[in-house]
Amino acid sequence: MIGSYVAVGDSFTEGVGDPGPDGAFVGWADRFAVLLADRRPEGDFGYTNLAVRGKLLDQVVEDQLRHAKELAPDLVSFCAGGNDILRPGTDPDEVAERFESAVAELTSAVGTVLVTTGFDTRGIPVLKHLRGKIATYNGHVRAIADRYGCPVLDLWSLKTIQDRRAWDGDRLHLSPEGHTRVALRAGQVIGLEVPADPDQPWPPLPPRGTLEVRRDDIHWAREYLVPWIGRRLRGESSGDRVVAKGSVSPYDIKMRIDSVA
């Protein structure tokens, strides 16, 4: 029985792409916390989300791990290193070494550490060229999980999130439905009976013509790719002025999810 859960990571764990009714993000970790809380008596579950968008692995370790260890929860989800892998010239082997040090630090201080692999990016423009790099990092994550007895939330094998409806318009973050499917898979990984199947196929979509695809690509480049490149050139991060959610009530999360369902 898991009575407390802390989520550590970057934009993926913060929930970017899954806005609630007030515009603040929900995300897979919050939705997963609701699944966990539903197994406990009311008020007998603690949840804290420390994740902040744009953070690199070392920043996650420096800013979030100390707090997570102080809380000493039954479960920590640790997803980090993806932003490092996206940067040109980074070595996935070296990033994995730093990731392992953080896992060793966490597992010595908390209950269970749930680690997460990267997505299969073969269908995502720009990111598909990083597929081999991500696969290398994923191999390390799985090996580290074996060494430290960590359950693995394997996003590479979750084929249903390769559908474009699982992704936000920026093509970097999941949509609300994508986050929901990841939360359900996380529940399966730790042995919960989940209310829906994350592998359930999507309804068929009508085929798109070349002109429609090109128009969507142009819109994406103008609205998302160019600003992202601009931030990189200026040395800025999307999370520079963002504060972590901190302690969150699963009841409040449920109310926010229901209001936009």
Side-chain angles (χ1 to χ4, degrees):
M1 296 293 289
I2 296 172
S4 53
Y5 166 42
V6 173
V8 171
D10 51 28
S11 59
F12 168 61
T13 302
E14 184 188 346
V16 174
D18 184 11
D22 54 358
F25 295 117
V26 182
W28 76 270
D30 288 14
R31 294 173 180 272
F32 177 44
V34 170
L35 294 177
L36 293 168
D38 283 346
R39 272 71 182 174
R40 303 284 296 190
E42 186 174 351
D44 188 31
F45 183 80
Y47 169 54
T48 303
N49 191 319
L50 303 175
V52 175
R53 71 198 74 168
K55 296 303 182 182
L56 300 172
L57 173 58
D58 288 347
Q59 293 171 320
V60 171
V61 171
E62 180 178 355
D63 300 339
Q64 300 176 32
L65 255 64
R66 178 184 58 80
H67 193 183
K69 290 192 297 180
E70 288 173 351
L71 292 170
D74 297 329
L75 175 67
V76 171
S77 61
F78 180 38
C79 179
N83 288 324
D84 300 72
I85 299 300
L86 292 179
R87 297 203 165 196
T90 53
D91 180 358
D93 299 328
E94 188 275 330
V95 176
E97 289 178 3
R98 291 186 279 122
F99 182 84
E100 179 164 6
S101 296
V103 169
E105 185 178 344
L106 268 178
T107 53
S108 67
V110 305
T112 299
V113 178
L114 174 70
V115 297
T116 309
T117 69
F119 301 100
D120 185 350
T121 59
R122 62 180 172 180
I124 305 175
V126 180
L127 296 185
K128 64 183 179 182
H129 303 294
L130 298 173
R131 192 177 184 225
K133 199 173 176 183
I134 295 169
T136 299
Y137 187 62
N138 285 352
H140 284 299
V141 169
R142 294 187 190 97
I144 292 165
D146 286 344
R147 286 195 286 273
Y148 292 89
C150 302
V152 180
L153 176 53
D154 187 358
L155 302 177
W156 186 280
S157 68
L158 185 56
K159 300 301 183 183
T160 52
I161 57 173
Q162 293 173 9
D163 188 286
R164 60 187 174 88
R165 287 166 288 186
W167 292 86
D168 187 42
D170 65 3
R171 303 182 183 179
L172 286 173
H173 301 100
L174 294 175
S175 67
E177 180 63 24
H179 278 284
T180 299
R181 289 179 183 249
V182 169
L184 292 169
R185 175 53 57 83
Q188 288 179 334
V189 167
I190 64 164
L192 299 183
E193 292 186 12
V194 295
D197 182 5
D199 292 308
Q200 181 178 351
W202 296 79
L205 278 175
R208 295 197 301 162
T210 303
L211 182 61
E212 184 182 0
V213 172
R214 186 175 301 167
R215 184 172 63 244
D216 288 349
D217 288 345
I218 292 172
H219 172 78
W220 169 75
R222 182 176 63 247
E223 295 296 321
Y224 299 106
L225 180 60
V226 172
W228 183 82
I229 292 173
R231 288 196 300 272
R232 296 284 80 75
L233 293 175
R234 294 190 298 271
E236 297 176 356
S237 167
S238 57
D240 283 346
R241 289 169 290 279
V242 176
V243 178
K245 298 173 188 176
S247 179
V248 186
S249 162
Y251 175 81
D252 291 342
I253 297 169
K254 189 180 296 186
M255 292 301 100
R256 297 177 71 222
I257 293 171
D258 290 344
S259 68
V260 296

